[in-house]
Amino acid sequence: MPSYILQRLGMMLLTLWAIVTLTFFLMHAVPGGPFVSERMLAPEIAAALNAKYGLDQPIWLQYLSYLKGVLTFDLGPSFKYPGVSINTMIATGLPVTLQTGLLAVICVVALGIPMGIVAALNRNRWPDTAVMMLATIGVAIPSYVIATVLLYVFALRLGWVPTFGLDDWRGYILPVFALSGFWVSFVARLTRSSLLETFEQDYMTTARAKGLRPGQILFKHGLRNSLVPVVTVLGPVVANLITGSFVIEQIFALPGIGRQFVLSITNRDYTAIMGITIFYAAALMVMILIVDLLYAVLDPRIKLSGAKA
Amino acid sequence: MTDPRTIAPEMWAPLHPADSAPATSRPSLTYWQDARRRLWANKPAIVALGFIILLILGAIFGPWFSPYSYADQNLKLANIPPAFETYAVDDGQGGTTRFFLNASNFNLYEVDAEGHVLGLLRGGRKDMLKKVQPFTFGATTVTLDYKTLPARLLTADGATISPSGWSWNRTYLFGTDQLGRDVLVRQLFGARISLTVAFVATLVNFFIGIFYGGLAGYIGGRTDAIMMRIVEIISTVPLTLYVVLLMVVFDSGLYSIIIAIGSVFWVDMARIVRGQILSLKSQDYVAAAKTMGAGTGRILTRHLLPNSIGPIIVTLTMLIPSAIFIESFMSFIGLGVTPPLASWGTLTSEAVETMRAYPHQLFFPAAAISLTMFAFNFLGDGLRDALDPRFRK
């Protein structure tokens, strides 16, 4: 186990380095400097700005100093907002993104899995059809369409929830719902098919033959075995909630990192784009590692080792 | 009792050819015949396929039949709905004027009996304080009162005029957007852009993925390990993030987004192809081909890839909706195609700006993209069921 974690950590560092390098050189390949704007700067001012941000140095020196900054958790200053560091930008946005993201994950688990169970237990009867229809809708319709339609119906038409912001608990309902819609549907479908497959296993027949109570059969024998593939997708769920948050935070005007990222793109704030990308990558890899470790705890058949898959 | 060792001569009589071998097996089908049969039996998939074909035809030929182009603006006829309530006012000289009221921008538009939009009606001076505007039709004067919403039309003696009926918009079937452009032709154009991006980017993914996955799977060993580690590193971060980064570097536009999507989403394809090749390359026919002196290229293209075509096609059908989605997503956050070009993403984000006043503008792009995603999902599911040998009966 420790060697497995060490190997994973090594892999993570390598991946992170690759992403830092890629984003750094991509952002420096953008034509025009960060201070090219509609107002022409006097050459002295431009030179002073370049010197302040280290842009007068050769590119490999800039790269090395950026790499050093990343290693010491310093993502540098924003080019568009003087005096604001990328660290501050992330720190102000993180709580919002984390709250909605966490609620969405809870939603995925608390809604998706029961929906799948209900569908599997009532196979080919109306609850199954209803769940599968909802799930198909949820998988097919893009999150930004769901978000705008929800916004129109529940905030503008019915006025049940605020149109933007997170001032009270009702503000969370629509963003969390729009964010988790796809994955609730996905997990429901996955739970259903996995449970149906488990029902055909011999040990389920044995459990029934032993005369166990239906609840026991379902929870101790059925669910425990069929939830393994569901846990595997939780890693990608976290990853996709992040990209989903770009547009959801934009639509609902939530001051999270996703909105910050989209704003930096529209502002062409290259250091912010770079910094937030790297932050995303790092956060993601840590979360995927956690999910993988959890997976091993849940499924005793899986032995974590350094061996290659 | 007859002797069981002797056979009666009548037992030697030849069977009639028709009732000879009882039909215990159905006619043998090739892989493709079988797949086609099973796909055909899957009704949602066939409906989806029909929808996709219609969509492609509409996207290619639709804009030719429209009198408008996707960029034609007519600011006088902006934000016109696809259906409206008409009012008829008698001008006292034997003529009637038909018009409808746009309750969000307080304009009156003249229409004819069939529902063709003729133009904007010019009213008298707007009284900004009292929030009224008179409109004169010959001898009759109608006052538009927007003090209290919804806006009302009043006759000279202060009575409210009620609409005489309603009609579809015959000039602009889907209405117009905030710049007075025809929504229908922009929809069709959006379909053109979205489908072009999806098909071209998927094709690029297809070739890169097959090349990369095929090589990794076939060569195996250390090369495979390194190549798959690279894929693993790439797919650690959501692929959408790379597309965002690439779009920041490129200028936004149609070609950039095709390149950006095409250069990133091949990793899934590479994985699938590699898995297939790995399981197929130890088959006897590959060994036979090798013995006969076939080179790597020939074995890959003639033996391994044709035999893994099923999963490849399924992955392709699943890549198309995700490419459509990514394109509209990028356009929605402002990194996709540039105005005045329309894609479903830009159409949706434009409609969101005017959602409060003109919710109907949101309906068409949202419905178009949702239906298309549905169709590709159903078709993909159907193809998977049809092409996967495990489902063969």
Side-chain angles (χ1 to χ4, degrees):
Chain A
M1 189 93 164
S3 78
Y4 171 78
I5 296 179
L6 267 184
Q7 199 198 331
R8 284 292 300 264
L9 284 176
M11 191 67 199
M12 270 172 59
L13 276 183
L14 182 69
T15 311
L16 203 57
W17 168 78
I19 287 163
V20 171
T21 311
L22 182 80
T23 41
F24 182 87
F25 286 105
L26 268 181
M27 289 302 113
H28 280 77
V30 179
F35 304 116
V36 177
S37 61
E38 54 274 23
R39 275 182 307 148
M40 279 297 286
L41 288 175
E44 299 82 24
I45 298 176
L49 273 174
N50 280 336
K52 179 170 185 293
Y53 290 109
L55 294 174
D56 53 346
Q57 286 168 332
I59 188 146
W60 60 271
L61 262 183
Q62 292 182 37
Y63 172 63
L64 283 184
S65 73
Y66 191 75
L67 214 54
K68 205 178 116 212
V70 171
L71 281 177
T72 52
F73 299 104
D74 175 18
L75 295 170
S78 158
F79 280 159
K80 282 288 140 84
Y81 303 103
V84 179
S85 76
I86 310 299
N87 286 20
T88 335
M89 283 169 102
I90 292 176
T92 48
L94 189 60
V96 174
T97 305
L98 217 55
Q99 274 170 359
T100 42
L102 208 64
L103 283 173
V105 172
I106 292 173
C107 235
V108 169
V109 174
L111 286 178
I113 295 177
M115 272 165 71
I117 296 174
V118 169
L121 288 179
N122 296 290
R123 191 182 186 181
N124 293 336
R125 269 174 287 165
W126 71 264
D128 184 26
T129 322
V131 166
M132 288 311 284
M133 222 151 89
L134 263 181
T136 311
I137 292 174
V139 168
I141 299 182
S143 57
Y144 68 87
V145 174
I146 296 186
T148 40
V149 171
L150 285 178
L151 189 65
Y152 176 68
V153 174
F154 291 103
L156 284 183
R157 263 290 143 92
L158 299 172
W160 290 352
V161 289
T163 46
F164 62 89
L166 292 171
D167 295 331
D168 64 318
W169 63 272
R170 289 180 307 160
Y172 284 96
I173 298 174
L174 292 189
V176 167
F177 195 75
L179 203 53
S180 58
F182 176 87
W183 288 102
V184 169
S185 318
F186 190 86
V187 165
R189 277 167 70 143
L190 194 64
T191 311
R192 175 183 177 273
S193 64
S194 169
L195 204 55
L196 285 178
E197 220 165 273
T198 315
F199 282 162
E200 313 213 323
Q201 300 290 323
D202 289 342
Y203 57 77
M204 294 300 282
T205 321
T206 313
R208 268 192 294 269
K210 282 197 296 188
L212 294 181
R213 272 176 287 116
Q216 229 174 340
I217 298 177
L218 176 65
F219 287 102
K220 275 194 91 172
H221 298 263
L223 259 191
R224 183 137 185 230
N225 286 297
S226 47
L227 281 189
V228 172
V230 178
V231 177
T232 342
V233 298
L234 284 183
V237 168
V238 175
N240 282 278
L241 285 183
I242 283 178
T243 37
S245 72
F246 295 169
V247 53
I248 299 295
E249 284 177 10
Q250 181 88 338
I251 292 174
F252 292 101
L254 311 181
I257 304 183
R259 190 169 132 86
Q260 198 77 266
F261 188 62
V262 177
L263 265 180
S264 332
I265 291 168
T266 13
N267 287 339
R268 304 272 148 167
D269 191 345
Y270 297 118
T271 43
I273 298 174
M274 236 150 69
I276 296 177
T277 308
I278 291 162
F279 172 76
Y280 272 148
L284 251 177
M285 281 185 285
V286 172
M287 277 185 275
I288 289 176
L289 181 65
I290 293 174
V291 168
D292 281 0
L293 294 179
L294 219 89
Y295 188 41
V297 173
L298 281 180
D299 189 353
R301 284 174 302 184
I302 291 180
K303 294 219 166 50
L304 296 181
S305 65
K308 290 181 181 69
Chain B
M1 201 65 199
T2 52
D3 182 0
R5 280 169 302 178
T6 61
I7 296 167
E10 70 267 19
M11 287 176 79
W12 285 105
L15 274 172
H16 195 265
D19 55 42
S20 57
T24 52
S25 68
R26 58 171 192 218
S28 80
L29 296 170
T30 64
Y31 178 63
W32 290 110
Q33 283 170 330
D34 185 48
R36 205 178 311 136
R37 201 176 49 84
R38 270 184 296 154
L39 184 65
W40 195 248
N42 187 336
K43 287 286 168 285
I46 290 302
V47 172
L49 185 65
F51 176 81
I52 291 167
I53 291 172
L54 274 182
L55 187 71
I56 293 172
L57 291 179
I60 296 174
F61 299 111
W64 291 352
F65 293 107
S66 171
Y68 314 100
S69 94
Y70 68 93
D72 281 349
Q73 298 181 9
N74 187 350
L75 289 173
K76 277 184 183 157
L77 298 177
N79 291 321
I80 291 182
F84 33 71
E85 285 184 318
T86 52
Y87 296 85
V89 171
D90 190 21
D91 61 8
Q93 290 141 14
T96 24
T97 312
R98 289 168 177 282
F99 59 89
F100 74 92
L101 162 67
N102 189 334
S104 294
N105 61 8
F106 311 127
N107 281 332
L108 300 186
Y109 299 92
E110 190 176 0
V111 290
D112 66 12
E114 278 105 50
H116 294 100
V117 179
L118 301 176
L120 185 67
L121 284 175
R122 288 179 65 88
R125 255 179 74 86
K126 259 186 186 168
D127 188 334
M128 292 299 190
L129 285 178
K130 288 185 187 150
K131 295 189 173 173
V132 287
Q133 186 182 17
F135 287 85
T136 319
F137 303 98
T140 325
T141 300
V142 169
T143 314
L144 172 68
D145 174 9
Y146 53 99
K147 267 194 297 292
T148 50
L149 295 177
R152 293 172 303 158
L153 286 167
L154 304 173
T155 54
D157 52 1
T160 307
I161 309 175
S162 51
S164 57
W166 70 277
S167 157
W168 292 106
N169 188 340
R170 292 289 166 89
T171 315
Y172 303 102
L173 291 179
F174 283 9
T176 59
D177 69 0
Q178 50 187 327
L179 292 174
R181 296 173 292 200
D182 183 39
V183 172
L184 174 61
V185 81
R186 282 178 73 72
Q187 278 291 325
L188 290 171
F189 217 84
R192 213 183 244 193
I193 300 271
S194 296
L195 291 177
T196 311
V197 170
F199 284 124
V200 179
T202 307
L203 212 64
V204 174
N205 283 321
F206 173 72
F207 284 115
I208 301 180
I210 281 196
F211 185 74
Y212 195 96
L215 275 185
Y218 188 73
I219 297 173
R222 183 169 288 271
T223 318
D224 178 37
I226 294 174
M227 285 174 93
M228 282 300 122
R229 270 291 142 88
I230 294 175
V231 164
E232 215 173 285
I233 288 178
I234 293 176
S235 52
T236 309
V237 176
L239 296 177
T240 321
L241 213 53
Y242 292 109
V243 180
V244 171
L245 286 180
L246 287 174
M247 289 306 290
V248 172
V249 179
F250 302 147
D251 279 332
S252 49
L254 186 58
Y255 298 111
S256 316
I257 196 148
I258 290 177
I259 296 171
I261 297 178
S263 57
V264 170
F265 275 79
W266 53 267
V267 288
D268 293 331
M269 182 59 91
R271 278 206 183 119
I272 301 278
V273 173
R274 171 185 171 264
Q276 285 291 315
I277 302 285
L278 269 187
S279 65
L280 286 178
K281 76 174 179 186
S282 53
Q283 300 275 330
D284 290 340
Y285 59 81
V286 178
K290 238 184 237 167
T291 330
M292 289 196 286
T296 309
R298 189 179 163 81
I299 291 179
L300 265 179
T301 51
R302 304 293 303 201
H303 296 279
L304 293 178
L305 289 179
N307 280 303
S308 41
I309 196 76
I312 291 177
I313 290 181
V314 174
T315 318
L316 271 183
T317 352
M318 291 303 186
L319 269 175
I320 292 174
S322 64
I324 293 179
F325 170 69
I326 299 296
E327 185 276 323
S328 69
F329 180 87
M330 300 305 288
S331 299
F332 188 84
I333 62 174
L335 279 176
V337 295
T338 40
L341 272 183
S343 99
W344 286 336
T346 50
L347 288 174
T348 317
S349 74
E350 279 167 14
V352 167
E353 288 167 23
T354 53
M355 179 169 65
R356 212 174 265 270
Y358 309 105
H360 63 265
Q361 292 180 358
L362 185 61
F363 174 78
F364 295 107
I369 185 149
S370 304
L371 284 177
T372 311
M373 299 289 280
F374 266 126
F376 275 105
N377 271 302
F378 280 130
L379 183 64
D381 283 348
L383 277 176
R384 190 192 54 216
D385 294 349
L387 292 176
D388 192 332
R390 281 177 304 169
F391 287 92
R392 265 182 120 157
K393 289 185 209 107

